[in-house]
Amino acid sequence: MMKRNQLLLLSALLGSLALAGCDVASKSSQAAPATQAAAPSATTPAAKAAIACPSQDFDAFLKAFADDVEVQKAHTQRPLQSDSVDPNADPEPKQVTAMLDGDALQFPVMPSSQTQKSDGLVLSQTELNGDKQVMLVKPDTDYQLSFFFRKGECWTLYRKRDDSL
């Protein structure tokens, strides 16, 4: 089971690299180039190498992040800042901030591309001082989620905000 999961993760990583414009060997020899590419930084276990940075290009990274829970787990800051609205606050709703880790940090933190499409969510992006903000909204509703990513060695989700009521 572990080997199958690693192969699936490796396959997803190679797909992401191909999207980012990297040269990927033919399907029959994908495993060897991926191992060689991971070798220089192979101070981590093989499983960690399989969930290495999917792409330096944010759009390719975001697709991999949304569609792979393991990528989300590997590239989410802990604790994760989570801002939401408390609709029951008195006298009016107010912003609440929590730092999520352990059991409080539930994955997936971002819905997959398929879920976004089936739920009618619209994705938009903005850049804030080099960071990226990704917003998911459902038109004609109060559904509004924002995800904030910062670039280091790879992109990392450092904050999420739920402005839905």
Side-chain angles (χ1 to χ4, degrees), residues 104-126:
L105 183 53
Q106 299 292 314
F107 290 93
V109 292
M110 174 183 272
S112 68
S113 300
Q114 181 65 33
T115 300
Q116 291 172 33
K117 186 176 182 177
S118 66
D119 289 351
L121 302 178
V122 177
L123 185 142
S124 63
Q125 292 181 38
T126 56

